Amino acid sequence: MMLSEGMSLRQILKADTVGKLPAQSTIYEWLIRFPLFAEQYARAREEQADTNADEILQIADEMPPEYTDDKGRTSLDMTYIQWQKQRIEARKWTAMKLKPKKYGDKLGLHGVEGAAPIATQDATASKFEEIIRNMEMTKRAG
């Protein structure tokens, strides 16, 4: 539950002051030994990506504090703004890694809108050799 709410495994284990939870190494061993546990852990991590995305919006909507200098001029706290940017970038990076299909960079291979899809060909070594032979023959004939 805490994992899907955005806490790291390390934070969860550190917060366990009564010693109820197993060691981190035990959890990693369970991920290898117990497929159901690994599946539940993976699902919690994916939910964590959604939590991170929600937090990004919340952080972006926060108004940075203002301060007034000794001349009476009011400004935004630029240090706070930088800190918020770092918080957003950390959550964005984590969300992209935890749930790349939803939050990762899209690398689409498509042509002009409305046009036919880009054609691809088998790129085996023999196909390349054939292409090179054809190019050499065309060059000699040309």
Side-chain angles (χ1 to χ4, degrees):
M1 177 77 144
M2 291 185 280
L3 195 63
S4 64
E5 291 176 352
M7 288 183 72
S8 70
L9 179 59
R10 188 173 177 189
Q11 289 171 323
I12 294 167
L13 295 176
K14 191 174 184 179
D16 177 32
T17 56
V18 293
K20 239 173 152 176
L21 298 175
Q24 189 169 348
S25 59
T26 302
I27 292 174
Y28 289 141
E29 184 180 324
W30 290 354
L31 289 170
I32 295 167
R33 292 181 56 207
F34 304 112
L36 181 60
F37 179 74
E39 183 182 317
Q40 291 170 339
Y41 183 87
R43 192 171 321 116
R45 284 294 196 181
E46 287 182 356
E47 290 171 7
Q48 187 180 46
D50 294 329
T51 300
N52 285 345
D54 290 341
E55 287 177 354
I56 288 170
L57 295 175
Q58 180 182 349
I59 293 166
D61 288 341
E62 289 177 17
M63 183 64 180
E66 294 180 346
Y67 71 93
T68 305
D69 65 14
D70 54 353
K71 295 184 181 179
R73 295 178 294 205
T74 303
S75 305
L76 296 177
D77 185 345
M78 295 309 290
T79 304
Y80 182 84
I81 291 171
Q82 277 304 117
W83 177 59
Q84 293 297 71
K85 284 182 181 179
Q86 289 175 345
R87 292 178 67 205
I88 287 170
E89 285 301 313
R91 283 159 178 77
K92 184 171 123 181
W93 183 87
T94 305
M96 289 170 60
K97 299 301 177 188
L98 293 175
K99 205 169 190 178
K101 288 183 181 177
K102 186 171 184 179
Y103 299 111
D105 292 330
K106 305 292 187 265
L107 300 174
L109 295 175
H110 50 81
V112 177
E113 190 173 331
I118 296 173
T120 59
Q121 291 184 352
D122 181 20
T124 61
S126 61
K127 186 73 172 173
F128 281 125
E129 290 171 3
E130 180 184 336
I131 292 169
I132 291 170
R133 273 195 307 275
N134 288 340
M135 288 172 61
E136 287 174 353
M137 289 172 46
T138 304
K139 189 177 179 181
R140 288 183 197 154

